[in-house]
């Protein structure tokens, strides 16, 4: 494995980072800025990042985009439509013919449904789900904010209907991709929360000095940076393995990445809240938005320690 990014991958990461920095929310109030959301939606749609998998992108490239968008708290659909598109990229019709049924390609776009709830549902008209190797489709009910304030979700209206089939190999690779992408989102949120905390520590004064100069603040921030760097290594390997290694090894790497990045991200985000002191526990501080994103991502495709048999005694 070559851990270095190619020039094209670095450009892709930089493009996602710039979009997130320019149009992502910079305060909790920005989450309700309709004009910003319209411009952000147009930019993400124009970039074509929701169809990265069907366009032939590697898992490393998808993870880079997911990480940067999460770091900037990009609050228009990405994860759900991306995983729905990845499902469709290997779908076969339930009956005869060479085309995926039109019901699997709804107008308005499709997002992913997990346990009857569609994630990233803002602006989408349908949801796709995978049951074993069967592709299912359903309509969406009313959308609304969930615990993750950067994403709207919606219940599936009625029952999910068959919309096609995928091979067992495609289903397994798709689940590996889902683990890697959600781990990348957790890493991105951790990076955003850590940057927020470091910026605050450099301007907040207490007892005659900047709080960043006190060990009680600087040491947890340094430990958070170490956790982030470790997460980058674990995630990058899992993303590479998803495309390059046999399925059992790829799945093992993805599971480890999901657990490691999730645990590290939660620690980093909780530290960010603590560094902000009293204001960190208020609605106006963005730290809780990062923490919410990490906690919700942990519940998407959760991994139990019993499923990991590498690196544990």
């Amino acid at each position: 494995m070559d851990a270095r990014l190619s020039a094209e991958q670095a450009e892709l990461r930089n493009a996602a980072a710039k979009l997130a920095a320019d149009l992502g929310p910079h305060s909790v109030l920005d989450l309700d800025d309709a004009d910003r959301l319209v411009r952000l939606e147009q930019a993400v749609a124009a970039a074509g990042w929701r169809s990265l998998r069907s366009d032939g992108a590697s898992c490393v490239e998808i993870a880079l985009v997911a990480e940067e968008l999460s770091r900037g708290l990009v609050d228009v659909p990405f994860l759900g439509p991306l995983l729905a598109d990845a499902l469709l990229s290997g779908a076969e019709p339930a009956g005869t013919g060479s085309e995926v049924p039109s019901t699997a390609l709804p107008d308005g776009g499709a997002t992913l449904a997990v346990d009857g709830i569609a994630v990233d549902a803002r602006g989408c008209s349908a949801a796709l789900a995978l049951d074993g190797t069967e592709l299912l489709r359903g309509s969406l009910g009313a959308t609304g904010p969930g615990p993750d304030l950067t994403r709207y979700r919606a219940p599936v209206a009625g029952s999910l209907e068959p919309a096609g089939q995928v091979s067992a190999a495609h289903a397994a690779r798709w689940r590996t991709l889902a683990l890697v992408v959600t781990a990348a989102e957790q890493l991105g949120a951790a990076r955003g929360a850590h940057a927020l905390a470091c910026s605050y520590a450099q301007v907040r004064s207490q007892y005659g000095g900047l709080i960043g100069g006190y060990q009680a603040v600087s040491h947890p921030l340094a430990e958070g940076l170490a956790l982030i760097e470790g997460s980058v290594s674990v995630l990058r390997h899992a993303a590479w393995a998803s495309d390059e290694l046999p399925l059992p090894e790829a799945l093992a790497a993805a599971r480890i990445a999901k657990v490691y990045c999730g645990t590290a991200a939660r620690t980093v985000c909780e530290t960010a809240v603590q560094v902000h002191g009293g204001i960190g526990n208020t609605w106006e501080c963005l730290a809780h938005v990062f923490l919410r994103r990490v906690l919700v991502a942990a519940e998407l495709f959760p991994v139990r320690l019993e499923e990991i048999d590498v690196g544990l005694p």
Side-chain angles (χ1 to χ4, degrees):
M1 170 189 172
D2 188 347
R4 295 171 298 180
L5 299 181
S6 67
E8 292 78 9
Q9 289 171 338
E11 289 178 5
L12 178 64
R13 180 187 62 184
N14 293 340
K18 185 177 187 306
L19 186 148
D22 291 344
L23 295 175
H26 296 108
S27 70
V28 176
L29 290 177
D30 284 347
L31 294 171
D32 296 323
D33 186 342
D35 291 337
R36 180 192 62 81
L37 284 169
V38 169
R39 288 183 284 119
L40 179 58
E41 168 61 32
Q42 292 172 344
V44 172
W49 290 330
R50 294 166 179 150
S51 58
L52 278 170
R53 196 57 164 177
S54 61
D55 290 339
S58 69
C59 190
V60 170
E61 292 160 349
I62 295 171
L64 289 172
V65 173
E67 179 185 340
E68 293 300 331
L69 296 187
S70 185
R71 182 174 67 88
L73 291 176
V74 166
D75 49 341
V76 296
F78 170 72
L79 175 68
L82 171 82
L83 293 178
D85 170 77
L87 269 180
L88 286 174
S89 68
E92 299 173 355
T96 59
S98 59
E99 298 291 332
V100 176
S102 59
T103 54
L105 301 168
D107 294 333
T111 187
L112 182 73
V114 179
D115 296 330
I117 300 295
V119 298
D120 266 2
R122 192 199 306 257
C124 296
S125 60
L128 299 178
L130 186 64
D131 182 10
T133 60
E134 185 177 25
L135 184 65
L136 305 173
R137 178 192 182 276
S139 300
L140 298 183
T143 61
D148 179 355
L149 300 179
T150 63
R151 288 202 174 102
Y152 275 38
R153 61 182 188 172
V156 175
S159 58
L160 292 164
E161 302 294 335
Q165 293 283 333
V166 298
S167 67
H170 178 78
R173 288 289 177 183
W174 178 83
R175 291 188 176 92
T176 301
L177 171 69
L179 289 173
V180 170
V181 176
T182 49
E185 291 222 325
Q186 290 174 306
L187 171 58
R191 289 179 57 207
H194 187 265
L196 183 71
C198 287
S199 296
Y200 185 76
Q202 292 171 5
V203 298
R204 177 70 167 95
S205 295
Q206 195 170 19
Y207 304 116
L210 296 175
I211 64 172
Y214 300 122
Q215 293 181 354
V217 173
S218 61
H219 283 194
L221 289 176
E223 291 167 1
L225 182 59
L227 288 173
I228 289 172
E229 291 301 319
S231 297
V232 170
S233 298
V234 171
L235 175 66
R236 196 70 54 81
H237 173 262
W240 168 82
S242 179
D243 292 327
E244 301 295 336
L245 294 185
L247 181 59
E249 297 176 49
L251 184 57
R255 285 171 173 167
I256 291 172
K258 183 65 185 294
V259 171
Y260 187 98
C261 293
T263 302
R266 178 168 181 169
T267 299
V268 171
C269 290
E270 289 177 345
T271 296
V273 173
Q274 294 166 357
V275 167
H276 281 82
I279 196 174
N281 292 289
T282 65
W283 183 262
E284 290 77 11
C285 181
L286 268 177
H288 75 89
V289 183
F290 286 109
L291 180 57
R292 286 167 179 266
R293 188 153 184 155
V294 164
L295 294 176
V296 171
E299 295 303 315
L300 284 173
F301 314 105
V303 175
R304 296 177 293 109
L305 288 178
E306 291 82 356
E307 298 177 275
I308 299 176
D309 58 2
V310 178
L312 295 176

